[in-house]
Amino acid sequence: MANEKFDQPVIIVTDPASGGQEAIGDASACLDFLLKRWRGKRSEKHRAAIQACSDTSSGRRPASFARKAFIVAAREAAILVTP
């Protein structure tokens, strides 16, 4: 199982009330967040990000693929701080 790091971490809001943020730096952390801590809508973009992270973790896709899919889902959920 590959766990290639993202070129740049994706910064997201984890707690809107306090302004808490988190840097997601690889597909494994991304998948964990999407499956266990996602508070947004479980949309098609969310499902696509899960698939992209799974594909990246298994070595079928590059880390950039998972990062882009996660950014799209995070933007839709209005939790993206910086890509």
Side-chain angles (χ1 to χ4, degrees), residues 37-52:
R37 299 186 292 138
W38 188 259
R39 293 185 178 160
K41 180 181 171 189
R42 306 262 173 170
S43 68
E44 185 58 38
K45 291 175 182 175
H46 175 261
R47 286 187 291 278
I50 290 172
Q51 185 63 54

Side-chain angles (χ1 to χ4, degrees), residues 7-81:
D7 288 341
Q8 293 181 319
V10 179
I11 310 299
I12 55 167
V13 174
T14 54
D15 184 3
S18 70
Q21 298 180 355
E22 182 175 340
I24 304 290
D26 58 52
S28 178
C30 184
L31 187 58
D32 181 69
F33 183 83
L34 288 163
L35 292 173
K36 297 177 183 174
R37 299 186 292 138
W38 188 259
R39 293 185 178 160
K41 180 181 171 189
R42 306 262 173 170
S43 68
E44 185 58 38
K45 291 175 182 175
H46 175 261
R47 286 187 291 278
I50 290 172
Q51 185 63 54
C53 289
S54 294
D55 288 349
T56 297
S57 292
S58 65
R60 292 188 301 262
R61 296 286 194 150
S64 60
F65 185 74
R67 185 179 185 277
K68 287 175 188 173
F70 184 61
I71 287 171
V72 169
R75 185 173 287 130
E76 178 184 60
I79 62 169
L80 182 67
V81 175

